[in-house]
Amino acid sequence: MAEFVPEQTQEFLADAWRTERPTISGQGRWPDLLGEVLARWDLVHHYDGILGVWHRMEASAESVSLVTQVRAAGPRCALATNQDAARAEVMQAEFDYATLFDATYYSCDLGVAKPDPAYFRLVLDDLGLDPEQALFIDDTARNVAAARELGLRAEQWSIAEGHDVLRGHLRRHAALPAAD
């Protein structure tokens, strides 16, 4: 049985991410490929635990509330996410995103992932929007930069920054009414 040391952890994660990357564009399923990664590292006995962590997600009640507020104010809200098909299925089943959002765009279904410009074009075309009509919020700088290069209004935000920061972005772009 393999034992990890800190240097190996980074190598393992790099191997896992490299193997997972094609799955977010719909090429294979991560749960199937995870076994191969774990076999390379003599860690197959950890499959269930690692897959469980990978599937673990928690909805932020405050984020859900903000989506509801934005939709009530008029703008449509779409989920645009890079996901493997298996994780997309878990997300849809656990959080009912098809009801929460006006549209959902999983990279595995589109066959292309952010930050590829083709991803954004597919979403914009489906929504019937010109780039400047869309506000894109993402936690990854390269995705935000790619969206801006195409002419989308885009802001970087992660939940660790807090929802007040997100509310500020939404208000600045008129997606949420000004505070009372």
Side-chain angles (χ1 to χ4, degrees), residues 2-15 17 41 43:
E3 190 172 316
F4 270 165
V5 294
E7 301 82 42
Q8 290 176 311
T9 301
Q10 291 304 319
E11 292 172 26
F12 168 76
L13 291 173
D15 184 18
W17 288 324
W41 291 87
L43 295 168

Side-chain angles (χ1 to χ4, degrees), residues 49-127:
I50 291 173
L51 191 61
V53 168
W54 183 74
H55 279 148
R56 188 176 321 142
M57 294 171 260
E58 291 182 28
S60 160
E62 198 166 358
S63 293
V64 169
S65 176
L66 274 173
V67 169
T68 303
Q69 289 173 40
V70 169
R71 287 182 74 193
R76 291 181 290 166
C77 291
L79 173 70
T81 182
N82 283 348
Q83 301 295 335
D84 156 80
R87 188 167 165 100
E89 290 165 8
V90 170
M91 291 172 73
Q92 284 291 89
E94 292 202 16
F95 302 116
D96 195 22
Y97 285 147
T99 301
L100 179 63
F101 293 96
D102 294 293
T104 57
Y105 300 96
Y106 294 92
S107 58
C108 58
D109 295 332
L110 297 177
V112 63
K114 299 176 285 183
D116 190 317
Y119 179 92
F120 297 102
R121 287 189 196 104
L122 286 168
V123 171
L124 289 168
D125 287 349
D126 189 67
L127 291 170

Side-chain angles (χ1 to χ4, degrees), residues 62 66 69 162-172 176:
E62 198 166 358
L66 274 173
Q69 289 173 40
H163 287 85
D164 286 340
V165 172
L166 178 56
R167 278 185 200 85
H169 292 319
L170 294 169
R171 287 185 177 116
R172 194 169 34 265
L176 193 64

